[in-house]
Amino acid sequence: MGWNSWNTFGHNINETVVRETADVLVSSGLKDYGYQYIVIDDCWSVKDGRDSHGDLVPDPEKFPNGVKALADYVHSKGFKLGIYSDAAEKTCAGYPGSLGFEDQDAHLWASWGIDFLKYDYCHAPLFDQAVAIERYTRMGKALRDSGREFLFSLCEWGNQSPHLWGRKAGGHMWRVSGDVFDSWINIWMKDWNTYGIGIDVSIDIANDLHEYGGPGGWNDLDMLVVGLKGKGQIAGNGMSFLEYQTHMSMWVMACSPLMIGCDIRKLDADTASLLMNREVLDVNQDALGIPASRVKQIGRCEIWTKRLADSGLAVSVINRGSRGEDVTVKARDIGLLDTPKLARNVWAGQDVADFRTELPLRVEPHETILLKVTQ
Ligand code: GLA
């Protein structure tokens, strides 16, 4: 759990934003909910190259005090600091990448006190799995040899099945798709000459790959778009409150890392309610770490389940269609016996029903009802 600069700030990242974000993570209470990593994405270094020692250089205009001082500040507030690079000559935004400099860069970041690396895959061969494995493995080893503990986040977008080799390459999480935009459906991003992934599609990817995620190696559905409301670097069409809630519910169910992408210095009450719900976050952080899967489809509605460490069952009922629907959750569909059980609405924090065999629900368009069922 944490925050990443890209979705809102893109190229306009700087040390003031990072410091203020650390401050607000504390003052808003987000820190107490477990948001821990503060990650500086692309565009942090001098763009036209390395220094005379071959080192990456923080852009002096964006980071006048350097990254080490920033890491010290972030650590003093109880957070960890993340940084970004790319397994090729250049990053996605055209800044120097780390190919051929893995050890040197890992040591430099370690000397600054960096705790997390997001490692992208722009300008690298798109359809050569062996090369991808080799490049990520090399950086994984460099991080391990750096003398500092790093969380290694692979950002290969899923083209070469990092869910199959990410752990072996030293990765702790791997992106499973291209960039998720602030949109329910995929959208054509003219400026980027590519499709932005919408939430509706991510839901299918989460189901396809559910068995590959787990403790120590997580399917990463991408940074959260909660709270963007059509603004920022990856602005899409924006979404309704229920759609953002579905987005959050499904990232939680899928055990995806939860990296906030909005400007939390301007946190509104709706967004805060989605990011700071203890019972919801407990489902994401559950000790078993079993990503949810779809167990039933009823027209455009779906029932997903996720087994929890306290022997409860998280159940999400999603309506992906555009009309409100009545859905009946049957005990046998979610793998439970016809014995008494309690259903708790996790978003509302309320016990909603005692049932044995069937639980009728009304689910609005694009809504997800998140339940915890205890037998
Ligand atoms: C890629 C990644 C994004 C972001 C940008 C930065 O598109 O998938 O998450 O890091 O690069 O340029």
Side-chain angles (χ1 to χ4, degrees):
M1 292 170 68
W3 176 90
N4 174 298
S5 62
W6 183 254
N7 282 3
T8 294
F9 296 97
H11 300 243
N12 299 320
I13 183 60
N14 60 54
E15 67 179 40
T16 309
V17 166
V18 175
R19 277 172 182 257
E20 290 180 0
T21 296
D23 295 344
V24 173
L25 280 168
V26 175
S27 61
S28 62
L30 280 160
K31 179 176 184 235
D32 301 328
Y33 285 83
Y35 296 95
Q36 190 190 12
Y37 285 91
I38 299 178
V39 179
I40 304 169
D41 207 284
D42 205 350
C43 310
W44 60 269
S45 71
V46 168
K47 194 168 184 178
D48 56 11
R50 295 166 173 264
D51 70 10
S52 56
H53 307 290
D55 281 337
L56 293 167
V57 183
D59 183 324
E61 274 177 23
K62 295 174 179 171
F63 297 92
N65 295 295
V67 174
K68 172 140 186 22
L70 192 55
D72 291 345
Y73 185 77
V74 162
H75 292 152
S76 77
K77 298 272 165 176
F79 299 107
K80 294 178 187 286
L81 188 64
I83 210 155
Y84 164 102
S85 189
D86 190 293
E89 243 167 73
K90 284 191 188 308
T91 70
C92 293
Y95 292 71
S98 292
L99 184 66
F101 292 89
E102 290 84 356
D103 285 317
Q104 181 165 353
D105 291 352
H107 275 91
L108 183 69
W109 296 323
S111 76
W112 291 345
I114 299 289
D115 309 286
F116 175 114
L117 175 67
K118 173 174 170 182
Y119 205 38
D120 216 335
Y121 208 60
C122 277
H123 310 291
L126 264 190
F127 300 103
D128 190 335
Q129 196 190 49
V131 171
I133 294 174
E134 202 262 321
R135 292 188 185 189
Y136 279 102
T137 302
R138 214 186 309 160
M139 181 53 91
K141 179 164 187 320
L143 295 174
R144 284 195 303 281
D145 292 348
S146 72
R148 194 170 168 87
E149 198 176 320
F150 279 83
L151 196 158
F152 188 26
S153 161
L154 316 191
C155 182
E156 184 277 340
W157 320 301
N159 295 325
Q160 292 159 116
S161 311
H163 56 279
L164 298 178
W165 48 262
R167 278 172 207 267
K168 233 174 145 196
H172 304 105
M173 55 196 260
W174 42 81
R175 281 273 297 277
V176 294
S177 74
D179 295 0
V180 169
F181 280 69
D182 185 11
S183 171
W184 179 257
I185 51 167
N186 284 6
I187 40 170
W188 178 249
M189 303 302 295
K190 217 167 97 226
D191 295 353
W192 301 63
N193 201 26
T194 182
Y195 270 101
I197 307 280
I199 299 307
D200 189 51
V201 171
S202 296
I203 294 173
D204 289 325
I205 300 172
N207 185 59
D208 291 345
L209 298 182
H210 72 92
E211 53 193 293
Y212 298 98
W218 305 103
N219 291 325
D220 175 9
L221 297 185
D222 201 0
M223 286 95 71
L224 296 170
V225 298
V226 173
L228 287 179
K229 303 197 166 169
K231 296 206 205 85
Q233 177 74 17
I234 57 123
N237 301 324
M239 292 195 286
S240 69
F241 178 78
L242 283 185
E243 289 169 340
Y244 283 125
Q245 193 175 51
T246 285
H247 162 38
M248 191 71 189
S249 301
M250 297 315 292
W251 263 234
V252 159
M253 287 290 279
C255 293
S256 175
L258 301 176
M259 302 299 284
I260 299 170
C262 66
D263 185 351
I264 56 168
R265 300 170 307 174
K266 300 174 186 156
L267 201 60
D268 58 79
D270 277 358
T271 303
S273 75
L274 295 177
L275 296 174
M276 291 191 271
N277 182 310
R278 184 82 61 198
E279 289 187 39
V280 171
L281 294 171
D282 281 350
V283 174
N284 176 257
Q285 297 287 310
D286 182 75
L288 291 183
I290 303 176
S293 60
R294 179 159 56 213
V295 294
K296 178 118 183 147
Q297 265 172 311
I298 311 156
R300 296 289 290 133
C301 294
E302 300 178 1
I303 302 174
W304 290 49
T305 61
K306 174 188 200 312
R307 205 152 54 78
L308 302 172
D310 65 1
S311 71
L313 189 71
V315 178
S316 57
V317 185
I318 322 165
N319 181 353
R320 296 173 68 175
S322 50
R323 282 198 320 250
E325 302 280 356
D326 295 312
V327 177
T328 300
V329 177
K330 295 185 178 149
R332 65 165 184 273
D333 290 339
I334 56 174
L336 297 180
L337 303 172
D338 280 351
T339 51
K341 49 187 98 39
L342 180 70
R344 184 167 173 82
N345 180 319
V346 183
W347 279 111
Q350 278 169 2
D351 296 342
V352 285
D354 286 306
F355 73 108
R356 286 179 78 101
T357 45
E358 293 193 346
L359 175 64
L361 295 169
R362 176 75 186 171
V363 198
E364 298 307 327
H366 299 181
E367 184 185 16
T368 295
I369 297 180
L370 191 57
L371 302 169
K372 182 169 172 184
V373 178
T374 317
Q375 194 148 33

